[in-house]
């Protein structure tokens, strides 16, 4: 049976035909009509009087509470507050929402529940001359640059990392930049404490600085207050407005992705959380490049909320001109324990580096540090800037830079 036919027939059975309407419905008599009208009018009158009384009562209640401040709806200046009634008194304490977060003592009660703790696979640094094909980072990422190390058929992972089942397992940053992008972060940049000179290979003057610094961006202007006005840091340590920092987000397909243990310090625990040594030893170089990677993005910190971004935990910021001009190659882990004589064995991993330097508010970084404090893993060792590895020599940089537009030609690092 056709359902629509059945439904139509059902409705038809309840609707009188035109012939039936003339024979089935009789005209009511006059007395019955009068009684019906009288009842309707009476009912409407009672309803109207009821509504009038209710309106008067509501107006009176509104007038009685207009002078009671506790009954006034929150204004735009109080909507972001938390109000709590103290049981011991009749007073009410109002706590600013941001301040309550800033003073939070949130922590996991049992850190031993962190299943990734201690998962790091120990691969000690080695003399670069003793390593075979293990390209290093951070390298020159100026568009068109190609390294001298022939890595054969090893290719970087050019997909967005999430498409390869990778997730961010850590976030940390370096003072100055480890990578070099001519015209963006190079020897011509500046900051509150100057800049690094262009590299004269393996002859970098560290002076008396506790943390080796890298290159600076070109944004800093000592006459502009957004680069010089101090910020009241609540969560990050040792950070400074006007300085340049290179942020790294290590990613791994072997991380505890989507769980409370996803973010780890040290980042090696996150990278190797679900990858035991016996499995790792069976992997080919291309397997590692496909499954482990790092997002890198460079920022100059400003005290200006126009440059606020609320979530720096998830990886490189992609917005407007951020995260658009990307240099992709294979390299290694970085840090000041490596240089152009001592190399990292954690390689080859894919690097996706934003070639441009961007301004970002100090509050964005402080919010990031707050979020890091909320993780099960103790990330306190990453709440400050780490030192920068010296720029990787051409001979230790891979020759597999990915250029979708085919722009692969050697660029001179020491250009005038």
């Amino acid at each position: 049976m056709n359902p629509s036919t059945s439904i139509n027939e059902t409705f038809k059975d309840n609707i009188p035909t035109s012939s039936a309407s003339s024979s089935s419905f009789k005209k009511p008599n006059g007395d019955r009509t009068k009684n019906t009208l009288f009842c309707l009018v009476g009912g409407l009158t009672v309803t109207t009087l009821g509504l009038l009384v209710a309106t008067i009562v509501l107006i009176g209640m509104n007038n009685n509470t207009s002078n009671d401040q506790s009954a006034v709806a929150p204004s735009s200046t109080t909507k972001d507050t938390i109000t709590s009634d103290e049981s011991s008194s009749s007073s009410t304490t109002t706590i600013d929402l941001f301040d309550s977060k800033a003073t939070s003592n949130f922590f996991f009660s049992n850190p031993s529940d962190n299943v990734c703790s201690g998962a790091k696979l120990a691969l000690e640094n080695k003399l670069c001359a003793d390593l075979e094909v293990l390209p290093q980072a951070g390298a020159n990422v100026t568009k068109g640059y190609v390294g001298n190390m022939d890595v054969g058929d090893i290719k970087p992972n050019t997909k967005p990392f999430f498409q390869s089942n990778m997730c961010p397992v850590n976030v940390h940053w370096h003072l100055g930049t480890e990578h070099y992008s001519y015209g963006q972060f190079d020897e011509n940049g500046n900051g509150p404490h100057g800049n690094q000179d262009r590299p004269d290979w393996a002859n970098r003057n560290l002076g008396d600085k506790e943390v080796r610094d890298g290159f600076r961006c070109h944004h800093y202007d000592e006459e502009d207050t957004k680069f010089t006005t101090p910020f009241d840091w609540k969560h990050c340590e040792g950070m400074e407005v006007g300085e340049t920092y290179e942020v790294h987000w290590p990613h791994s397909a072997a991380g505890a992705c989507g769980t409370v243990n996803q973010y780890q310090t040290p980042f090696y625990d996150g990278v190797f959380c679900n990858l035991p040594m016996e499995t790792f030893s069976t992997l080919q170089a291309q397997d590692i490049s496909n499954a482990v990677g790092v997002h890198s993005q460079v920022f100059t910190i400003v005290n200006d909320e126009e440059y606020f971004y609320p979530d720096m935990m998830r990886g490189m910021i992609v917005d407007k001109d951020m995260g658009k001009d990307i240099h992709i190659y294979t390299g290694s882990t970085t840090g000041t324990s490596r240089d152009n004589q001592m190399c990292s064995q954690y390689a080859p991993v894919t690097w996706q580096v934003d070639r441009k330097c961007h301004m970002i508010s100090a509050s964005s970084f402080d919010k990031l540090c707050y979020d890091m404090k909320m993780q099960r893993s103790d990330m306190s060792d990453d709440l400050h800037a780490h030192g920068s590895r010296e720029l990787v020599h051409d001979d230790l940089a891979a020759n597999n830079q990915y250029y979708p537009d085919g722009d692969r030609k050697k660029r001179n690092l020491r250009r005038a």
Side-chain angles (χ1 to χ4, degrees), residues 23-310:
S23 59
S24 302
F25 290 94
K26 295 182 180 181
K27 183 178 180 180
N29 59 44
D31 291 338
R32 188 173 180 179
T33 302
K34 289 179 181 179
N35 290 336
T36 301
L37 291 174
F38 179 79
C39 291
L40 289 172
V41 171
L44 290 171
T45 301
V46 172
T47 301
T48 303
L49 288 173
L51 290 173
L52 179 61
V53 171
T55 302
I56 293 172
V57 171
L58 289 173
I59 293 174
M61 292 175 63
N62 185 64
N63 288 338
N64 290 336
T65 60
S66 62
N67 294 324
D68 183 358
Q69 294 300 319
S70 64
V72 178
S75 66
S76 60
T77 59
T78 60
K79 66 180 180 180
D80 289 330
T81 61
I82 299 173
T83 303
S84 60
D85 295 322
E86 298 178 355
S87 58
S88 59
S89 66
S90 60
S91 63
T92 299
T93 302
T94 300
I95 306 170
D96 182 85
L97 182 60
F98 182 81
D99 286 345
S100 72
K101 287 184 176 182
T103 57
S104 173
N105 291 320
F106 177 87
F107 63 93
F108 284 94
S109 59
N110 190 2
S112 64
D113 289 338
N114 178 6
V115 299
C116 300
S117 180
K120 174 183 177 180
L121 301 184
L123 297 174
E124 299 300 325
N125 296 333
K126 277 193 172 184
L127 288 172
C128 302
D130 294 340
L131 292 176
E132 295 184 359
V133 182
L134 286 181
Q136 300 294 295
N140 188 347
V141 295
T142 305
K143 190 170 184 179
Y145 174 83
V146 179
N148 288 343
M149 179 178 284
D150 185 357
V151 296
D153 295 332
I154 300 173
K155 304 295 182 186
N157 188 340
T158 60
K159 299 177 182 178
F161 286 159
F162 71 88
Q163 291 184 3
S164 299
N165 296 320
M166 284 192 259
C167 65
V169 296
N170 171 271
V171 57
H172 64 272
W173 51 94
H174 299 262
L175 176 60
T177 72
E178 296 189 302
H179 287 90
Y180 178 102
S181 181
Y182 185 77
Q184 291 291 320
F185 33 96
D186 57 19
E187 71 277 7
N188 298 314
N190 199 6
H193 306 289
N195 192 18
Q196 275 290 347
D197 294 331
R198 70 177 68 185
D200 203 6
W201 294 113
N203 187 26
R204 220 165 165 182
N205 181 17
L206 303 182
D208 296 324
K209 298 175 183 175
E210 294 182 2
V211 176
R212 169 187 260 156
D213 57 346
F215 299 106
R216 293 335 194 264
C217 297
H218 292 211
H219 295 301
Y220 181 75
D221 181 358
E222 63 182 6
E223 301 298 325
D224 189 333
T225 57
K226 69 173 174 281
F227 296 103
T228 59
T229 302
F231 179 78
D232 183 17
W233 298 93
K234 298 184 185 309
H235 302 288
C236 295
E237 300 171 0
M239 304 288 286
E240 187 172 359
V241 171
E243 266 295 8
T244 294
Y245 299 93
E246 179 174 334
V247 182
H248 293 166
W249 293 269
H251 285 63
S252 175
C257 299
T259 76
V260 73
N261 298 306
Q262 178 172 325
Y263 287 90
Q264 297 288 321
T265 295
F267 70 84
Y268 298 99
D269 284 355
V271 169
F272 297 108
C273 183
N274 295 311
L275 185 64
M277 177 61 85
E278 54 268 26
T279 302
F280 176 75
S281 62
T282 66
L283 299 178
Q284 301 297 314
Q286 189 62 60
D287 296 328
I288 299 171
S289 178
N290 289 341
V292 181
V294 185
H295 278 170
S296 172
Q297 201 161 35
V298 175
F299 301 98
T300 295
I301 292 185
V302 295
N303 196 342
D304 187 338
E305 294 309 305
E306 181 181 347
Y307 299 92
F308 176 75
Y309 286 86

